[in-house]
Amino acid sequence: MLIRAGLITLVLLATMGQAQAYSYAAAGKEPLIDAREQLLTAASEGQDASAVLASLTEELTYLEQHHKVVLQAPLAEAIKNKDAATTQTLLNRAYKAEIERRLEGAGQNLGDYQTAKVLVVKSKRFLDLILPSLSEADRKAADQALAKVLDAIGNPGVFGVGAKVADEKAFKAAEQDLMAVLAPL
C-alpha cells in the first residue's frame, strides 16, 4: 500500500511539473485588443473615446516609434469623424505592427522555447482580429505562414524525447511570408 501511495505521488508530481513546463498561456492584458470594441463603438456612434485613446498612448507611441506607423492622431480623427471603417483599418495596422513586434521578439529568443512560443501565441491573437479583413486566400496563407513560424521555433520534447531544434532560416522565411500577406494593411 505504501508503494502504491508513493507511485501515485510520483505520478502526480511528474504531471504537475509537466503541466507547468508546457503551459503556453499568454498571460497578461493586451490593451490594443481590450480597447478594440470600445474604439469601434465610439467611432460608429460618435462617442468620446479620448480616455480610451489616452490609455493606449504607451502602446501606440511604441508602435509609432519602432514600427514606423502613424496611429494616434489618425485614430483620434477617425473616431471624431464617426468613421468606423478608418478606425478598423488603423487598428489593423496597429495589430500588424504588434505581430511584427512579437515575431521579432520570438526570432531573437529562438534559443528559449517557452519565450518564443508565448510571443508567437500572442501574435496569433492579433492575427485573429485581422483575418476577417483579408480575402479567403490571404486568410489561409496567413494561417499557414503562422503555423510554419510556430513549427520553426522547435520543440523541447517531453523530457528531451521528440525534441526539435529551432530552425532560424525556416522561421525567418515563414515570418517574411506572413508579413508579405499583411503588407497591404
Side-chain angles (χ1 to χ4, degrees):
M1 196 58 143
L2 184 60
I3 293 174
R4 182 175 178 207
L7 286 174
I8 291 172
T9 302
L10 282 174
V11 168
L12 288 174
L13 287 174
T15 305
M16 286 179 6
Q18 200 173 9
Q20 283 183 331
Y22 291 96
S23 173
Y24 302 131
K29 294 189 180 250
E30 291 294 348
L32 286 171
I33 292 173
D34 297 341
R36 180 176 186 271
E37 289 305 316
Q38 290 175 299
L39 292 174
L40 291 172
T41 300
S44 63
E45 297 177 7
Q47 298 172 353
D48 179 22
S50 56
V52 177
L53 286 173
S55 73
L56 299 174
T57 299
E58 184 179 341
E59 289 79 13
L60 295 174
T61 299
Y62 178 89
L63 295 175
E64 287 180 337
Q65 291 174 349
H66 293 78
H67 293 277
K68 309 301 182 225
V69 292
V70 180
L71 298 165
Q72 292 182 81
L75 263 173
E77 188 68 24
I79 292 168
K80 178 182 168 190
N81 293 332
K82 299 181 185 179
D83 189 347
T86 300
T87 301
Q88 177 67 49
T89 298
L90 291 165
L91 287 173
N92 283 347
R93 284 188 193 144
Y95 299 155
K96 175 185 152 193
E98 282 288 353
I99 292 167
E100 183 178 47
R101 173 181 169 216
R102 305 305 165 98
L103 293 183
E104 284 174 1
Q108 293 167 357
N109 287 286
L110 284 178
D112 179 354
Y113 175 76
Q114 186 67 27
T115 300
K117 175 84 175 198
V118 167
L119 289 167
V120 172
V121 168
K122 284 188 174 197
S123 71
K124 173 71 170 135
R125 292 181 64 200
F126 289 101
L127 181 62
D128 287 343
L129 294 171
I130 291 174
L131 289 177
S133 300
L134 301 176
S135 69
E136 182 64 35
D138 285 346
R139 280 193 292 263
K140 187 175 181 179
D143 273 336
Q144 288 175 345
L146 192 62
K148 288 179 183 177
V149 166
L150 193 56
D151 185 55
I153 66 172
N155 188 326
V158 178
F159 302 113
V161 176
K164 180 181 172 192
V165 177
D167 184 343
E168 185 176 357
K169 185 177 176 182
F171 180 90
K172 286 182 180 183
E175 178 185 19
Q176 287 174 349
D177 290 346
L178 177 58
M179 296 317 293
V181 171
L182 302 179
L185 296 176

